[in-house]
Amino acid sequence: MVLLKPMERKNPQDVAAPPKFYAQAISQGITDLERLAYLVSNQCTVREADCLAVLNALQHNVMDELAMGRVVQLGTLGNFQIGVRSEGTDVQDDLNVAAVRSAHVNFRPGPRFRTFLKTVRYRMTGS
């Protein structure tokens, strides 16, 4: 179950408008690679150390593939792809790689993951 808390926010497009309350998801901790390896090892016949080695290799290879401009598809989890933010230019020929301000990862959930997102249950905290 995902915990939610009310967050008061102003409308950045209308600063004179009264603020409204919006739901914000609250983290309930972190699951790291070691924990994932432990969980996976308990669901199959592979030892925890082997699972951790595979997850570390997966992590390394996902970043390498993204750096080569590839979309990384992780089964039903979804697709990962590099995206960039850049400065705009008035003329196409003036645009070059120096205009790139930052890179980020675009994640597009797969069909099974989208279905999961539709079935997530929530609980509101006091504040």
Side-chain angles (χ1 to χ4, degrees):
M1 181 157 315
V2 176
L3 275 181
L4 303 174
K5 71 176 181 180
M7 278 302 261
E8 187 175 27
R9 294 197 182 123
K10 293 183 178 182
N11 182 347
Q13 296 175 340
D14 184 3
V15 292
K20 292 185 178 182
F21 287 91
Y22 296 89
Q24 179 174 321
I26 302 171
S27 168
Q28 297 198 53
I30 295 174
T31 300
D32 59 14
L33 282 181
E34 287 80 12
R35 172 79 176 147
L36 286 174
Y38 170 79
L39 293 170
V40 170
S41 72
N42 284 314
Q43 296 174 339
C44 62
T45 59
V46 180
R47 295 177 336 139
E48 185 178 340
D50 297 326
C51 290
L52 184 57
V54 168
L55 290 172
N56 280 324
L58 175 68
Q59 181 177 250
H60 173 80
N61 286 295
V62 165
M63 288 188 287
D64 282 352
E65 294 299 305
L66 290 173
M68 289 191 280
R70 295 192 173 114
V71 174
V72 176
Q73 186 178 53
L74 286 181
T76 59
L77 187 63
N79 299 336
F80 296 82
Q81 182 177 8
I82 293 289
V84 297
R85 290 180 182 86
S86 72
E87 300 293 331
T89 61
D90 293 327
V91 179
Q92 180 177 341
D93 290 340
D94 291 345
L95 185 64
N96 58 45
V97 296
V100 175
R101 291 188 315 230
S102 64
H104 57 272
V105 175
N106 291 323
F107 171 68
R108 291 181 300 281
R112 186 171 166 196
F113 199 92
R114 284 192 305 272
T115 299
F116 157 75
L117 291 173
K118 292 176 185 174
T119 62
V120 172
R121 294 180 28 205
Y122 305 97
R123 189 178 87 217
M124 189 66 72
T125 66
S127 55

